[in-house]
Each structure stands twice: as structure tokens, then as C-alpha cells.
Amino acid sequence: QRAGSTDVLEIHGSLIRARCVTDGDIVEDWRRVEEFPPRCPCGSLLRPDVVWFGETLPPGAIEMAMTWVFESDLVIVAGTSAVVAPASLLPGFARQRGVPIIEINPQETPLSPVATLHLQGRAGELLPRIIGEEGTSERSGGFAE
């Protein structure tokens, strides 16, 4: 998103936003709150707008992710342990369809042996090399010159 992507599905939420503990309202500019712990304008505590263990995913999120996987020609899995379901199941659907999977991670995961290509390293360093430093699609040996 910081790079300009607008069609982003945040299955597990985002640390950029906060949510009111009482009513669930999203507070976009929570970092401007000067008190600690941060509070909602209603006075209730704020929490990160992310899904914690034991909580349900946002309605429709996993279904939309599955739709995208089933429509994809390539799946890139970057920076995840690949063990937290149901999101960890998504690359398997792509694999069943014969869609290539590129995994980018500092260490191997359960996905690594079945990925078409496992690139060991940090996503923030490797992704720019894959798409090209200038954001072009010109590639040489899988990486931009």
C-alpha cells in the first residue's frame, strides 16, 4: 500500500489502524493520540486493527482471498510463517491448480518444499529486485538488473 497498491486485501487487518475496544469503530489517525494507552474519542481504549488468535477474520475476507487465488497466474507468499490457518491454506489451492508459487522468507517454512521457488531473504529486500528497482517488469534471471 505504501508503494501505491490500491487493491489490497488485509485478511488479518492492519497495524496502521486502531479499533475502539467498545464499539469496534476504526480510528485511522490513532497515532495522533497523545495519551497512553491510546483512547478512542469516545473514551474507550484503542487496540490494533488486527485479528488476534481466537478471533474471527473479517466477513468475506477469506472468501475474497480464495477468489483471488483461483483467478491468479502466480502467487507470491512473502514474510509469513505459513502455518496460521486459514490463510496458510491459500497457497495449496494455487498449487492444486498448477499455479507457480514464489515464497519469500528469511527462513524455510512448511510451504518451502512445495513452492515453485523459495527465495531466502527479507521481502523488503527481495521484492524490489524481482519487480525491478524502478518498478519495471524487465527481468534477467528472475531479478532486475
Side-chain angles (χ1 to χ4, degrees):
Q1 288 167 311
R2 285 185 280 166
S5 295
T6 56
D7 203 8
V8 175
L9 179 61
E10 298 171 333
I11 296 173
H12 292 112
S14 173
L15 287 172
I16 294 171
R17 294 183 307 271
R19 181 171 16 146
C20 178
V21 171
T22 301
D23 59 21
D25 286 348
I26 301 298
V27 178
E28 297 281 350
D29 59 351
W30 70 273
R31 291 184 175 151
R32 294 182 190 179
V33 176
E34 294 183 15
E35 59 189 330
F36 186 81
R39 294 197 175 271
C40 178
C42 75
S44 185
L45 292 173
L46 291 175
R47 60 165 274 186
D49 184 30
V50 297
V51 177
W52 289 338
F53 286 102
E55 294 180 334
T56 59
L57 297 176
I62 199 67
E63 293 82 4
M64 180 59 73
M66 289 178 69
T67 298
W68 287 5
V69 166
F70 282 111
E71 294 174 353
S72 66
D73 296 322
L74 171 70
V75 171
I76 299 174
V77 180
T80 179
S81 64
V83 296
V84 178
S88 63
L89 304 174
L90 294 170
F93 296 131
R95 183 73 175 163
Q96 289 173 351
R97 291 185 44 245
V99 172
I101 301 167
I102 299 174
E103 179 190 37
I104 302 171
N105 211 338
Q107 58 265 349
E108 289 195 8
T109 72
L111 176 62
S112 302
V114 298
T116 308
L117 177 63
H118 170 79
L119 299 175
Q120 192 161 354
R122 297 173 51 131
E125 296 168 2
L126 295 179
L127 280 170
R129 291 180 59 196
I130 291 170
I131 63 169
E133 295 297 328
E134 301 300 317
T136 67
S137 60
E138 296 177 30
R139 295 187 183 104
S140 173
F143 290 96
E145 290 291 318

